[in-house]
Amino acid sequence: MSTPTVPLSTAEKIHSRGPRESVMSRAAAMLIMGVFTLYFLTPIWWLLVTSTKAGGEITRTAPLWFTPNSISTFFANLIELFQYQDGLFIKWLANSALYAGAGALLGTIIAAMCGYALAKYEFKRREIIFNVVLSGVLVPATALALPLFLIFSEVNLTNTYWAVFLPSLVSPFGVYLARIYAAASVPDELLEAARLDGAGELRTFFTVSTRLMAPALVTIFLFQFVAIWNNFFLPLIMLRDQALFPVTLGLYAWNSQISQIPELRTYVIIGAFVSIVPLIIAFLGLQRFWSSGLSAGSVK
Amino acid sequence: MATLNQAHTPLLKAGRSPHTAHKGRSTRKAVAVFVAPFAVLFLLFYAAPIIFAIIQSLLTVEREGTFGPPQQIFGGFSQYVLVFQDQAFWASVGRVLLFGVVQVPVMLGLALLFALLLDSPLLRGKKFFRLAFFAPYAVPGVIAAIMWGFLYSPSLSPFGVVTSEVNFLGGSLVLWSIANIVTWVYVGYNMLIIYASLLAIPTEIYEAARLDGASNAQIAWRIKIPLVTPAIILTGVFSIIGTLQLLAEPQTLRSFSSAISSTYTPNLAVYTTASVPNYNLAAAFSVVLALATFVLSFVFLKATQRKVSQ
């Protein structure tokens, strides 16, 4: 186990010093990266450009560039999207924010507490619990979707918020990451000192340890957020009521009706664009945290 | 880890004196409070579903006569016999295995190449490339499939010149069109995991190698790649799991392509069977799939770990 945090920027500075490379290999490297930048960004660029076009313009105008009235069309599309079926799309966005936001927040706290206890306390069956959690990492959430549906239908809770929200709280990978990070970044001496000062274990965790574990917590939060935001099978199998859909399931439903209702195409495209913006912003804004948290998980 | 454990044991063993006995008890209570929420949720939403699915898969529905009320009775392994006879299901398993054998190495190879380039002195604008390559990870599978579905389609695609000639959504290519979508989403994510572990390698090692006359390519091949193998294994396990679970992309692409059947991947087969509804058979599919995933990733972990330790 090695030390977890190397801020990417400073580490990069150290790494980029080296002997002069030939112009050829520099050019080759830049060429490879340049071509793949096009590969990764063109689809997103197309989505942005296309969401600024009215229905017929999509096929008639240059596909990868804007039209003269792109800005006004974009806002017109946006307003139509938000008004369609009494603001169903806004409801979906709010649902996704609730499932993913609240789910990831609670899930992170729960996983952090468990991982922290596994790292910092000796207790009976500790290794058994950790191994069970680890095998949980290998059992993918999608394999559980149908069994979860069967269980929830036994207690008549399918087609409710809870059916999607509650199973999303469990993140075995979060526990794994929290344990590794807590073991490496929370010194025992500090906990001893807190105990001598008479602080309770819980209080020490929430006031001292969580601060030291912050990069790991942000990482767990972000990855669980993405996992819930992207989750498709569970809502697909659990939910019938459109008003409960997360945005991915809603767009999927609209997309599969395009052949009957052609105007949905515009809504699907701009809706897809609107739904990925929050995630991209979250990742860019928080990247300082998750990139150092990531190295903790992979270095092990 | 070992040192941490040793440092802690005296505290709990000292629990005999009256003062610390109280402390030991409070520690135990704290552990219970820390572990209980996760343990309860894990039991309810991970363990219980698995057990319940196994029970369901051992039942079978029987009717008295043609119109009698359906009744669930114990059917032993009869559902599993059906699973093993189900050719569509095994075809779907074969399809995702073929997918995985090709897509996972390509994706991880690219991720490793990009990570090594980011870590080399050859590039400028590293921060930009890192973010540009990672951006697709923020796109959910469903949305990525919708987007690429439009890009593949002959009428809407900005690359109409290509898509009117090559049928990306036809039976012979659609599996690889899905592979492209999955690769597009996950290369950057895997690249970052490998890159993060490259950054954790102490630079003194490279300096020593350079003094010995090693070139950058040799350093990458002989030092960097062996040292980041654990990270590659981690991404490999997650990719194998993801491949066997393929659902969102093919299910979404079904509205663009008629070549994707309702049992195209194992999870699609589970979904289709559950919608019939034939829960007992769908549960048996789920159990077989979860077991296969678990075994495959476990075997992969063991096999690669042995190689690493040799």
Side-chain angles (χ1 to χ4, degrees):
Chain A
M1 191 174 304
S2 98
T3 47
T5 40
V6 184
L8 286 184
S9 52
T10 50
E12 256 168 12
K13 263 176 222 142
I14 302 167
H15 275 239
S16 44
R17 257 185 269 132
R20 293 242 146 251
E21 290 303 317
S22 75
V23 182
M24 280 292 281
S25 31
R26 269 176 200 280
M30 287 304 278
L31 184 71
I32 293 174
M33 295 306 264
V35 168
F36 277 96
T37 303
L38 287 181
Y39 169 67
F40 288 118
L41 292 187
T42 307
I44 298 175
W45 175 253
W46 175 84
L47 193 65
L48 165 69
V49 170
T50 309
S51 60
T52 68
K53 289 175 182 176
E57 287 176 341
I58 299 177
T59 43
R60 273 188 280 111
T61 56
L64 291 177
W65 199 247
F66 300 100
T67 62
N69 44 10
S70 266
I71 295 178
S72 58
T73 316
F74 177 77
F75 284 106
N77 284 346
L78 204 61
I79 290 167
E80 270 185 59
L81 167 74
F82 286 162
Q83 286 173 344
Y84 188 70
Q85 293 186 348
D86 298 324
L88 190 57
F89 185 79
I90 296 179
K91 184 98 187 114
W92 290 343
L93 275 183
N95 289 344
S96 273
L98 182 70
Y99 291 131
L105 189 69
L106 260 176
T108 304
I109 297 171
I110 291 165
M113 293 197 318
C114 185
Y116 173 78
L118 289 171
K120 288 284 138 193
Y121 297 90
E122 274 274 291
F123 52 94
K124 251 200 284 178
R125 300 192 199 92
R126 185 175 79 158
E127 289 312 310
I128 297 175
I129 293 178
F130 187 57
N131 285 329
V132 170
V133 170
L134 267 190
S135 31
V137 175
L138 297 186
V139 177
T142 39
L144 297 173
L146 176 80
L148 278 168
F149 171 78
L150 297 175
I151 286 215
F152 274 84
S153 55
E154 287 288 307
V155 286
N156 285 324
L157 274 177
T158 55
N159 201 22
T160 60
Y161 272 109
W162 300 112
V164 175
F165 183 77
L166 288 176
S168 310
L169 293 175
V170 192
S171 167
F173 188 64
V175 176
Y176 165 79
L177 207 62
R179 173 184 166 147
I180 290 176
Y181 207 91
S185 67
V186 183
D188 283 330
E189 296 76 25
L190 197 69
L191 299 185
E192 282 303 312
R195 269 179 210 126
L196 289 179
D197 284 348
E201 305 292 326
L202 278 176
R203 209 180 125 193
T204 310
F205 171 73
F206 280 106
T207 55
V208 181
S209 310
T210 48
R211 259 178 230 178
L212 295 170
M213 292 166 68
L217 298 184
V218 174
T219 312
I220 297 170
F221 174 82
L222 270 176
F223 284 93
Q224 205 175 348
F225 187 93
V226 172
I228 303 173
W229 188 277
N230 290 358
N231 194 354
F232 178 65
F233 201 7
L234 190 66
L236 174 73
I237 211 164
M238 286 286 189
L239 303 177
R240 290 284 161 271
D241 180 2
Q242 286 209 337
L244 300 176
F245 281 9
V247 70
T248 43
L249 186 60
L251 286 171
Y252 160 80
W254 275 358
N255 184 57
S256 42
Q257 294 162 27
I258 286 183
S259 51
Q260 295 101 39
I261 317 168
E263 74 255 30
L264 277 179
R265 194 178 66 190
T266 313
Y267 301 146
V268 166
I269 289 171
I270 190 168
F273 178 71
V274 171
S275 74
I276 63 175
V277 169
L279 279 195
I280 292 187
I281 291 175
F283 266 108
L284 294 188
L286 293 169
Q287 68 146 326
R288 200 161 50 85
F289 297 98
W290 56 257
S291 38
S292 59
L294 253 190
S295 45
S298 60
V299 161
K300 172 78 200 301
Chain B
M1 271 321 299
T3 49
L4 286 178
N5 293 351
Q6 280 155 11
H8 222 97
T9 337
L11 179 83
L12 289 186
K13 283 219 176 112
R16 277 182 204 119
S17 76
H19 178 65
T20 41
H22 166 72
K23 201 189 273 173
R25 212 177 304 131
S26 77
T27 318
R28 263 201 301 282
K29 222 167 87 188
V31 168
V33 172
F34 283 135
V35 177
F38 184 82
V40 169
L41 288 171
F42 188 89
L43 286 178
L44 279 177
F45 302 119
Y46 251 79
I50 294 173
I51 294 164
F52 196 73
I54 294 173
I55 295 172
Q56 286 290 317
S57 70
L58 295 174
L59 301 176
T60 182
V61 174
E62 200 164 76
R63 288 167 196 274
E64 281 177 43
T66 321
F67 300 105
Q71 238 185 341
Q72 285 201 325
I73 58 159
F74 180 73
F77 288 102
S78 59
Q79 301 294 349
Y80 289 94
V81 173
L82 290 178
V83 169
F84 283 99
Q85 288 168 347
D86 194 313
Q87 290 185 346
F89 180 72
W90 291 104
S92 75
V93 172
R95 201 172 286 123
V96 291
L97 287 179
L98 173 67
F99 180 104
V101 166
V102 176
Q103 190 266 340
V104 173
V106 168
M107 176 177 68
L108 296 185
L110 283 174
L112 177 63
L113 171 72
F114 299 150
L116 286 172
L117 284 176
L118 281 180
D119 193 49
S120 80
L122 295 170
L123 279 189
R124 279 169 198 286
K126 289 180 180 180
K127 200 172 173 192
F128 167 77
F129 288 126
R130 212 171 62 207
L131 292 179
F133 285 29
F134 184 65
Y137 183 68
V139 180
V142 174
I143 312 280
I146 290 176
M147 219 158 65
W148 280 98
F150 284 121
L151 294 177
Y152 289 144
S153 72
S155 55
L156 277 174
S157 174
F159 312 105
V161 192
V162 183
T163 52
S164 55
E165 293 296 321
V166 185
N167 185 4
F168 287 105
L169 297 167
S172 55
L173 268 186
V174 76
L175 185 66
W176 308 114
S177 302
I178 298 171
N180 172 55
I181 300 176
V182 176
T183 308
W184 182 79
V185 172
Y186 288 102
V187 164
Y189 167 76
N190 291 310
M191 170 194 82
L192 274 188
I193 291 184
I194 299 171
Y195 182 52
S197 84
L198 277 172
L199 288 182
I201 301 173
T203 44
E204 294 80 32
I205 300 183
Y206 306 144
E207 272 148 36
R210 284 211 182 87
L211 287 178
D212 289 343
S215 71
N216 268 318
Q218 281 172 321
I219 290 176
W221 192 251
R222 298 266 172 85
I223 299 177
K224 290 185 180 178
I225 293 181
L227 282 175
V228 295
T229 304
I232 300 174
I233 291 172
L234 185 80
T235 57
V237 172
F238 284 131
S239 307
I240 290 174
I241 294 175
T243 304
L244 288 169
Q245 306 306 316
L246 266 182
L247 175 82
E249 294 85 359
Q251 172 76 356
T252 308
L253 275 189
R254 290 189 72 197
S255 46
F256 294 93
S257 163
S258 53
I260 301 173
S261 66
S262 62
T263 55
Y264 198 73
T265 69
N267 257 333
L268 255 170
V270 170
Y271 177 63
T272 307
T273 312
S275 322
V276 169
N278 185 348
Y279 294 141
N280 304 116
L281 183 58
F285 281 145
S286 276
V287 171
V288 170
L289 182 61
L291 212 63
T293 312
F294 188 83
V295 168
L296 208 63
S297 38
F298 191 76
V299 167
F300 178 79
L301 267 179
K302 282 290 154 205
T304 47
Q305 266 167 4
R306 192 167 307 139
K307 234 180 204 166
V308 170
S309 61
Q310 264 171 7

